[in-house]
Amino acid sequence: DFEYSYEYLGVKERLVITPLTDICYITLSQALGMFLGGAPAGPAGTGKTETTKDLGNTLGKYVVVFNCSDQMDYKGMGKIYKGLAQSGLWGCFDEFNRINLDVLSVCAQQVYCILSAIRERKKSFVFTDGTTVSLDSRVGFFITMNP
């Protein structure tokens, strides 16, 4: 069950529902229901980010899109994750595969820390940097990757 977020997102055009977008919606929704994130993959320009944003729009949820690059470090990513966890917004990390592998390893630990707190139904948790962070359990993490 998803709680509608009542975030006013303006009047936006919706995606055309095809069998592929339908499967993507169901898969992403099931992942969120299991306290996980989503990772649509496919060629560039196929609508991975737009599908994630449209699912969020359906649930009245604001989706913040971050274009990833090799310039991102674990401290900056940690600040983004903490902000998403506190606000309950969804984060879509576009072209996540561009981030350096050593940073990705720390990012995995940071996201795991947040998802574990959601699974345990905590109201606040201690992040990997030692700070105590309040938690809105409606947060969602999504990554998109191009081959």
Side-chain angles (χ1 to χ4, degrees):
D1 291 338
F2 293 101
E3 184 180 326
Y4 189 78
S5 294
Y6 298 100
E7 181 76 30
Y8 179 70
L9 303 169
V11 180
K12 296 184 178 180
E13 291 187 13
R14 300 296 308 275
L15 284 182
V16 175
I17 303 300
T18 65
L20 185 58
T21 56
D22 198 31
I23 289 169
C24 193
Y25 285 174
I26 291 168
T27 304
L28 293 175
S29 299
Q30 287 177 334
L32 287 171
M34 293 186 284
F35 309 110
L36 300 170
T46 55
K48 301 176 293 292
T49 302
E50 292 303 316
T51 302
T52 302
K53 286 169 52 179
D54 194 62
L55 177 61
N57 194 17
T58 302
L59 297 172
K61 178 70 68 180
Y62 186 67
V63 180
V64 185
V65 178
F66 299 94
N67 292 309
C68 298
S69 73
D70 58 353
Q71 300 298 311
M72 299 182 105
D73 65 346
Y74 73 94
K75 291 180 182 177
M77 294 296 284
K79 290 178 183 178
I80 292 171
Y81 295 143
K82 287 193 288 186
L84 292 172
Q86 290 174 341
S87 63
L89 299 179
W90 285 6
C92 181
F93 298 87
D94 211 12
E95 299 188 35
F96 197 68
N97 53 312
R98 287 187 179 182
I99 299 174
N100 292 329
L101 287 178
D102 54 336
V103 176
L104 284 177
S105 176
V106 179
C107 288
Q109 290 296 319
Q110 292 170 329
V111 171
Y112 177 76
C113 178
I114 297 170
L115 294 178
S116 295
I118 294 170
R119 267 186 219 101
E120 295 167 12
R121 304 196 191 291
K122 293 183 176 179
K123 296 293 180 195
S124 64
F125 66 100
V126 178
F127 196 62
T128 56
D129 62 1
T131 59
T132 301
V133 179
S134 63
L135 178 64
D136 184 336
S137 61
R138 297 174 295 177
V139 64
F141 299 99
F142 303 90
I143 64 171
T144 63
M145 296 179 286
N146 295 328

